[in-house]
Amino acid sequence: MNDSASMYSEALITALMNADSVAVLTGAGVSAESGVKTFRDPDGLWMKFKPEELANFDAFMRNPELVWEWYNHRKEIAASVKPNPGHYAIAEMESLFKEFTLITQNVDDLHRRAGTSNPIELHGNITRSFCIDCNKFYDKVEVSEQQKIPKCDCGGMIRPDVVWFGEMLPMNAIQTATAAAQDADVFFSIGTSGEVYPAAQLPGIARQYGAYVVEVNPGKTSISFQMNECLLGPSGVVLPPIIEELKRRKLSA
Ligand code: BV8
Ligand code: ZN
């Protein structure tokens, strides 16, 4: 495994130049440079709250107000920040390969705002909500001082459209993501600790099916051992030079 600092190797650029299909899996780390807290970093979200207390359906039914307070807080943060150079580099990759798939565990909508046209959202999207009784979707939910929990026209409780622990991922999302991992000539795992399943299985599946697998992360993770190459740096710093070099070579090819 090429264990370089943050500079890409010739092997990676060659693999990208020869690649028909490229897939990228991202986690909370890709949004860190936008100012969005990750989950498991020292100042991460899970340091204050336990996931069991917040990111699962029972916690929501036990204390919907607390869970909505947490998601409204994260919605405000997500709406107040901007995509960073890492998001834009990934969005640019779309036009550089015959087939490109962006798979994200993030719910902050930043990939879409950076121009990625069809992000595969494994864990949902914080800008959407739905009624737990009639499944009606809402892009905007109103809460008032009196009514802290948004209610549907049918009277049912509305929840954030995110996948909580113990909940199945959207079938089409995980199927599309798995097919993209199996098809990929090059697979990037960017800004994820590789702790949450089934998303964390994707880099290993890509490797098994012959992809050149690259991790972009300032630190090592529990899935680093599955990589061909670990680029140890922040995605907003590591990715743009790779895209620039690729565009230069494609121009002169
Ligand atoms: C499922 C909600 C089938 C949305 C999240 C027992 C019972 C039930 C299930 C399980 C069980 N035991 C295990 C499981 C499976 C469970 C799981 O994996 N648990 C783990 C913790 C062991 N998974 C599930 O429950 C999934 N569903 O399996 O269904 C099933 C059903 C019933 C019974 C059995 C099976 C559902 C998983 C989705 C959970 N929802 N969030 C939200 O509120 O956001 S998970 C949460 O973690 C987020 O979605 C997040 O995306 C995800 C992964 O975290 P990361 O994105 O990797 O973030 P993290 O902070 O961990 O790491 C950040 C990384 O970035 C770090 O490595 C850091 O170094 C790096 N970084 C920092 N700065 C930068 C950077 N990298 C690059 N650049 C930088 N600048
Ligand atoms: Zn309803």
Side-chain angles (χ1 to χ4, degrees):
M1 164 165 70
N2 177 320
D3 222 358
S4 61
S6 67
M7 268 314 276
Y8 54 83
S9 68
E10 185 52 34
L12 172 56
I13 290 292
T14 308
L16 287 168
M17 284 299 285
N18 301 330
D20 288 330
S21 150
V22 170
V24 172
L25 169 69
T26 62
V30 79
S31 298
E33 289 154 273
S34 296
V36 182
K37 280 191 183 311
T38 63
F39 292 89
R40 295 170 184 85
D41 278 328
D43 62 344
L45 288 166
W46 290 158
M47 297 312 134
K48 269 211 294 299
F49 308 100
K50 285 206 194 51
E52 306 74 56
E53 288 163 350
L54 284 165
N56 73 58
F57 186 69
D58 298 343
F60 177 70
M61 293 313 280
R62 245 193 338 266
N63 194 340
E65 262 185 49
L66 173 70
V67 174
W68 261 115
E69 209 179 298
W70 188 52
Y71 278 97
N72 283 331
H73 171 65
R74 288 177 59 200
K75 275 166 91 147
E76 277 156 28
I77 293 173
S80 68
V81 299
K82 290 196 176 33
N84 67 63
H87 292 109
Y88 289 115
I90 292 168
E92 219 177 330
M93 288 170 92
E94 221 169 293
S95 58
L96 294 174
F97 303 102
K98 249 192 236 137
E99 278 165 56
F100 178 78
T101 310
L102 183 268
I103 305 154
T104 188
Q105 300 170 85
N106 300 341
V107 297
D108 58 27
D109 208 39
L110 286 176
H111 282 298
R112 198 189 305 277
R113 287 173 51 198
T116 291
S117 47
N118 172 28
I120 307 292
E121 297 171 325
L122 294 180
H123 296 163
N125 186 314
I126 206 166
T127 63
R128 290 190 308 263
S129 312
F130 67 90
C131 169
I132 61 174
D133 287 348
C134 71
N135 265 340
K136 179 176 173 190
F137 271 82
Y138 289 80
D139 280 331
K140 261 183 96 49
V141 285
E142 307 295 327
V143 285
S144 63
E145 261 317 299
Q146 295 65 31
Q147 186 179 294
K148 290 237 177 5
I149 304 150
K151 286 288 172 62
C152 174
D153 311 340
C154 80
M157 223 171 14
I158 295 177
R159 61 165 280 180
D161 181 22
V162 295
V163 178
W164 283 326
F165 286 106
E167 293 186 324
M168 304 298 278
L169 276 60
M171 201 48 94
N172 59 332
I174 192 64
Q175 282 171 345
T176 310
T178 306
Q182 291 169 340
D183 256 4
D185 299 307
V186 178
F187 189 97
F188 285 86
S189 178
I190 303 173
T192 183
S193 58
E195 303 282 340
V196 173
Y197 288 82
Q201 285 168 330
L202 292 169
I205 292 171
R207 182 81 194 255
Q208 218 182 333
Y209 277 72
Y212 189 87
V213 190
V214 193
E215 183 172 63
V216 178
N217 194 312
K220 283 300 186 66
T221 69
S222 42
I223 53 172
S224 295
F225 73 95
Q226 297 173 9
M227 309 295 164
N228 294 94
E229 187 162 344
C230 290
L231 298 177
L232 293 171
S235 41
V237 171
V238 168
L239 293 174
I242 296 174
I243 302 305
E244 289 317 307
E245 177 60 12
L246 210 49
K247 287 192 311 192
R248 195 185 66 75
R249 294 211 190 179
K250 283 188 180 257
L251 261 182
S252 55

